[in-house]
């Protein structure tokens, strides 16, 4: 089963991260059945905040007839803008980035124990400006929605790397 990932920050990314995660699991392990269990509040009403305990996992697994349960959390933040001025060369630059992290755990339905976990953190530039006394020499921007989509895709790709088959030459 999969509990919809919790999302915190300026944008609600939990549901899009869950959808990306489901797609990544199915791509890595075709035919794997995954039962969507809803958000944390509906799947585990007794869960306080984002804390999941073993008894709740065992109860949910028995109720939904699943052997294991995936749960995750995605956190997003905007980093402080950066400004650099070089008076000697009379140039300046400014930039801003968006930052996100993901944590995913797999719980064993019988014991409630965590049997696997992965996390990742990424940043992506959303704006940069370079200029001189003569004016702006370059301006690059990325829409916030596009930046969020790229972050979610890359974070999910990072945490699902263990699930993809790979070959090692010996």
């Amino acid at each position: 089963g999969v509990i919809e990932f919790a999302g915190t920050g300026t944008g609600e990314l939990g549901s899009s991260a869950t959808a990306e995660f489901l797609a990544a699991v199915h791509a890595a392990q075709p035919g794997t059945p995954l039962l969507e269990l809803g958000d944390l509040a509906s799947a585990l009403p007794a869960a306080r905040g984002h804390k999941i305990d073993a008894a709740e996992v065992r109860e949910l697994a028995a109720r939904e007839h699943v052997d294991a349960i995936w749960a995750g959390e995605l956190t997003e933040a905007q980093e402080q803008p950066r400004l650099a001025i070089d008076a000697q060369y009379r140039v300046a630059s400014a930039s801003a980035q968006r930052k996100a992290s993901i944590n995913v755990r797999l719980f064993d339905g019988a014991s409630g124990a965590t049997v696997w976990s992965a996390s990742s953190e990424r940043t992506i530039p959303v704006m940069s400006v370079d200029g001189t006394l003569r004016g702006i020499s370059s301006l690059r921007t990325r829409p916030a929605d596009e930046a969020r989509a790229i972050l979610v895709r890359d974070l999910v790709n990072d945490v699902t790397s263990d699930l993809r088959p790979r070959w090692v030459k010996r």
Side-chain angles (χ1 to χ4, degrees):
V2 178
I3 297 173
E4 184 174 301
F5 291 7
T8 59
T10 56
E12 179 51 54
L13 298 178
S15 60
S16 63
T18 306
E20 283 281 339
F21 184 80
L22 289 169
V25 169
H26 286 138
Q29 302 291 322
T32 302
L34 292 168
L35 179 64
E36 296 180 54
L37 304 171
D39 65 1
L40 184 63
S42 61
L44 297 171
R48 291 165 285 300
H50 297 294
K51 179 81 171 114
I52 300 172
D53 69 25
E56 292 168 331
V57 170
R58 290 190 302 267
E59 178 187 324
L60 178 60
R63 183 176 72 230
E64 298 294 339
H65 306 291
V66 295
D67 297 322
I69 298 171
W70 296 96
E73 180 177 14
L74 191 123
T75 305
E76 180 192 26
Q78 182 143 354
E79 289 194 340
Q80 289 291 94
R82 296 182 184 167
L83 176 64
I85 299 172
D86 188 332
Q88 180 180 355
Y89 293 106
R90 298 181 179 170
V91 297
S93 65
S95 65
Q97 297 187 44
R98 190 161 292 280
K99 180 179 179 180
S101 64
I102 191 170
N103 295 298
V104 181
R105 297 189 317 178
L106 177 62
F107 295 96
D108 176 56
S111 67
T114 300
V115 294
W116 177 89
S117 65
S119 63
S120 180
E121 182 175 285
R122 293 265 183 147
T123 58
I124 188 168
V126 291
M127 185 275 306
S128 70
V129 178
D130 296 315
T132 67
L133 289 176
R134 295 184 196 133
I136 294 176
S137 57
S138 76
L139 171 65
R140 294 175 300 279
T141 63
R142 174 176 281 134
D145 290 344
E146 179 184 326
R148 286 184 180 109
I150 292 168
L151 278 173
V152 167
R153 184 195 64 219
D154 290 349
L155 289 167
V156 168
N157 187 55
D158 289 349
V159 297
T160 57
S161 66
D162 289 345
L163 308 177
R164 291 189 292 278
R166 56 185 170 266
W167 292 264
V168 177
K169 186 175 180 178
R170 293 185 186 220

